[in-house]
C-alpha cells in the first residue's frame, strides 16, 4: 500500500498537513545528512511511510542522478533531495529533480527567490531549514511550502534556541507546515512536536543509527556509547556553531589557532574538489558565493570547504581518529540499531499510546 494512501484507522490525529504536502503516510522526515543519507537510507525511509531525503551536497550531479534512480527502483513512494543553494551547478540539479519527479527539495540555507519560484512552478515542494523565527518569516514570504525548525539540540550546524522555544515561535509566525528538529528520537517527541503546533518531526542522528544506514559499524558503536553530555557545540571546524561528539580531534581543533588549522583545511578542501570533480573555476565561483551569502571571512571559507572531508573520514572511511562525528544531543537516549521500518513503526505506535493516554 503506497504511503500516500492515507493513515491507517486510528491514526487520524497523526496524519498532518505535512503528510498531505509530501504525499506520505507518516509525519516523519529523515534529514539529508552528508555522506550518510544516500539511496539506501532514503529509500528505506520512504518505503516505510516517512519522507527520506538524499544528501546531494557531497555528490556530483551524475552521482545524484544515480542515487535518485536507485531510490525510485527501491520504492514508488515520494522522497526528497537536499541541495546547497550556492553550488555552481544548482540549476542543473534542479533540472534533474524536476525531470525525475522528485517530490521535495530541501535546503540547509535559504534558496534564492528565483529558485523557489522555479521549483514551485514545476510542482516540487520547497523546504528550507531555519534556526530563528525571522528566518522562517523571510522564506515563507518568498513562497516556500514548508520549513524545518531546528533547535539547539540538533546535530551539525545549529543555533542557540532550544527546540521547545523555537518551534512554537516558528509555528506562530508562519501559516505553512512546520517540522520540528533537534532532540527528537521517539513517539513521545512526535506528540510533543504536534502539541507545540508542528506538523511532524525531522530526525538525523536517529536515522543514522539504524541498520539501513551505511555508516561503518565501528562509528555507530561510538555513537551508542555516548551520553547527552558527550557533545559539544564548536566553531573550530568551519567558523560556525556545529554540534559534534567531543573527541580528541575536536579538542585539538579547539586548542589550535586558525593559522595552524588552515594548512589541513586547504589540503582537505582540495581533496574534496577532486572527489566531486569540481574544476578550480567552479571551486572559486562556489567559494565566492558562499563568502557573499554567508558573510564569511577567507579563513572561514577555507575551513567550511574542509568540513566535508572531516565528516567523510568517519561516516565513510570509519576513521574517528582523523574525522568528526556530527550529532544531535538526542544521542544520549538512543540505545539500539533497528531497521528504519522498525523505527518508524515503533515511533508511530508509541505516539498512538501517548495520545490515547492523554485523552483517557
Amino acid at each position: 500500500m503506497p504511503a500516500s494512501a492515507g493513515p491507517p484507522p486510528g491514526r487520524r490525529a497523526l496524519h498532518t498537513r505535512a503528510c498531505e504536502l509530501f504525499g506520505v503516510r507518516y509525519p516523519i522526515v529523515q534529514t539529508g545528512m552528508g555522506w550518510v543519507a544516500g539511496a539506501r537510507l532514503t529509500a528505506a525511509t520512504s518505503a516505510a511511510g516517512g519522507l527520506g531525503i538524499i544528501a546531494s551536497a557531497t555528490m556530483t550531479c551524475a552521482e545524484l542522478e544515480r542515487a535518485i534512480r536507485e531510490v525510485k527502483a527501491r520504492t514508488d513512494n515520494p522522497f526528497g533531495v537536499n541541495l546547497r543553494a550556492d553550488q555552481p551547478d544548482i540549476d542543473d540539479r534542479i533540472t534533474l529533480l524536476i525531470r525525475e519527479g522528485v517530490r521535495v527539495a530541501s535546503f540547509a540555507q535559504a534558496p534564492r527567490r528565483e529558485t523557489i519560484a522555479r521549483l514551485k512552478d514545476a510542482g516540487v515542494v520547497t523546504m528550507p531549514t531555519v534556526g530563528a523565527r525571522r528566518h522562517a518569516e523571510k522564506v515563507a514570504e518568498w513562497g516556500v511550502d514548508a520549513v524545518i525548525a531546528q533547535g539547539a539540540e540538533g546535530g551539525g550546524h545549529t543555533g542557540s534556541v532550544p527546540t521547545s522555544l523555537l518551534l512554537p515561535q516558528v509555528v506562530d509566525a508562519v501559516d505553512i507546515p512546520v517540522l520540528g528538529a533537534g532532540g527528537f528520537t521517539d513517539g513521545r517527541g512526535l506528540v510533543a512536536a504536534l502539541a507545540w503546533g508542528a506538523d511532524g518531526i525531522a530526525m538525523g542522528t536517529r536515522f543514522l543509527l539504524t541498520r539501513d544506514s551505511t555508516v561503518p559499524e565501528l562509528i555507530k558503536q561510538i555513537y551508542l556509547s555516548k551520553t547527552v553530555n558527550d557533545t559539544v557545540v564548536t566553531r573550530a571546524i568551519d567558523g560556525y556553531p556545529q554540534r559534534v561528539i567531543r573527541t580528541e580531534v575536536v579538542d585539538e581543533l579547539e586548542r589550535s589557532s586558525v593559522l595552524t588549522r588552515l594548512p589541513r583545511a586547504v589540503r582537505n578542501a582540495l581533496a574534496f574538489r577532486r572527489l566531486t570533480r569540481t574544476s578550480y573555476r567552479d571551486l572559486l565561483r562556489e567559494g565566492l558565493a558562499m563568502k557573499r551569502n554567508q558573510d564569511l571571512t577567507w579563513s572561514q571559507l577555507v575551513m567550511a570547504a574542509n568540513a566535508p572531508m572531516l565528516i567523510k573520514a568517519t561516516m565513510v572511511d570509519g576513521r574517528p581518529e582523523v574525522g568528526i562525528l556530527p550529532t544531535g544531543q538526542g544521542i544520549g537516549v538512543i540505545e539500539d540499531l533497528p531497521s528504519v521500518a522498525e523505527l518508524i513503526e515503533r515511533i508511530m505506535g508509541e505516539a498512538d499510546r501517548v495520545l490515547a493516554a492523554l485523552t483517557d
Side-chain angles (χ1 to χ4, degrees):
M1 187 178 190
S4 56
R11 285 187 171 167
R12 301 294 174 186
L14 297 171
H15 192 77
T16 69
R17 290 187 302 169
C19 297
E20 294 296 324
L21 179 64
F22 303 146
V24 300
R25 178 175 291 178
Y26 304 133
I28 299 173
V29 174
Q30 162 252 305
T31 58
M33 299 164 281
W35 305 114
V36 176
R40 189 170 89 178
L41 184 60
T42 300
T45 304
S46 289
L51 180 73
I53 296 180
I54 298 171
S56 79
T58 55
M59 298 177 179
T60 65
C61 202
E63 288 170 340
L64 173 58
E65 182 173 4
R66 289 194 292 272
I68 289 172
R69 292 185 176 177
E70 183 178 343
V71 173
K72 291 168 72 173
R74 289 172 178 257
T75 179
D76 293 329
N77 291 344
F79 64 96
V81 171
N82 183 256
L83 301 162
R84 259 190 43 208
D86 54 8
Q87 285 187 289
D89 61 352
I90 183 64
D91 290 335
D92 293 337
R93 290 171 185 253
I94 290 173
T95 297
L96 173 62
L97 265 62
I98 294 170
R99 187 181 73 231
E100 293 294 327
V102 172
R103 179 62 180 162
V104 177
S106 72
F107 293 85
Q109 294 169 330
R112 301 190 311 269
R113 286 176 182 260
E114 297 81 3
T115 300
I116 296 169
R118 185 181 174 201
L119 288 164
K120 286 178 71 70
D121 287 346
V124 181
V125 172
T126 307
M127 179 174 65
T129 296
V130 299
R133 174 177 178 152
R134 67 183 184 279
H135 298 154
E137 291 171 334
K138 179 177 74 172
V139 294
E141 181 184 342
W142 287 1
V144 301
D145 301 290
V147 294
I148 295 175
Q150 178 175 309
E153 300 94 324
H157 292 110
T158 195
S160 59
V161 181
T163 303
S164 59
L165 301 179
L166 175 67
L167 191 49
Q169 276 192 321
V170 172
V171 167
D172 289 346
V174 299
D175 60 3
I176 55 178
V178 177
L179 285 297
F184 295 108
T185 62
D186 58 19
R188 293 172 298 179
L190 173 55
V191 173
L194 298 179
W196 284 321
D199 294 278
I201 56 174
M203 302 184 297
T205 307
R206 179 63 273 199
F207 280 105
L208 183 157
L209 292 172
T210 60
R211 294 198 300 276
D212 294 290
S213 161
T214 58
V215 171
E217 187 66 23
L218 165 67
I219 301 301
K220 290 179 182 177
Q221 292 304 318
I222 292 174
Y223 274 85
L224 289 176
S225 71
K226 300 304 178 181
T227 73
V228 293
N229 296 315
D230 288 328
T231 73
V232 62
V233 176
T234 178
R235 291 179 177 268
I237 296 167
D238 60 7
Y240 281 88
Q242 187 166 173
R243 186 179 294 281
V244 295
I245 291 176
R246 179 149 223 157
T247 63
E248 290 184 9
V249 172
V250 174
D251 287 343
E252 178 187 343
L253 286 171
E254 291 205 309
R255 286 193 301 267
S256 62
S257 68
V258 172
L259 288 178
T260 56
R261 290 198 295 265
L262 280 178
R264 175 197 281 183
V266 170
R267 290 194 302 271
N268 279 339
L270 293 176
F272 185 61
R273 181 198 69 82
R274 291 192 296 272
L275 272 177
T276 55
R277 301 178 182 89
T278 304
S279 69
Y280 284 106
R281 179 181 177 182
D282 281 346
L283 188 68
L284 179 60
R285 285 175 53 204
E286 182 175 350
L288 290 172
M290 289 175 65
K291 189 176 189 298
R292 180 177 63 252
N293 296 339
Q294 301 177 40
D295 195 26
L296 301 177
T297 65
W298 285 109
S299 61
Q300 285 176 321
L301 178 60
V302 174
M303 293 303 294
N306 161 57
M309 294 305 289
L310 292 178
I311 299 172
K312 177 182 179 292
T314 52
M315 300 298 112
V316 178
D317 303 331
R319 301 185 61 199
E321 73 279 6
V322 295
I324 60 172
L325 299 159
T327 186
Q329 202 165 11
I331 185 63
V333 298
I334 297 174
E335 299 178 343
D336 61 352
L337 297 170
S339 70
V340 164
E342 291 167 347
L343 173 64
I344 290 179
E345 274 306 311
R346 180 197 301 175
I347 290 172
M348 296 306 297
E350 184 175 31
D352 285 336
R353 293 190 294 275
V354 170
L355 284 173
L358 289 173
T359 55
D360 279 349

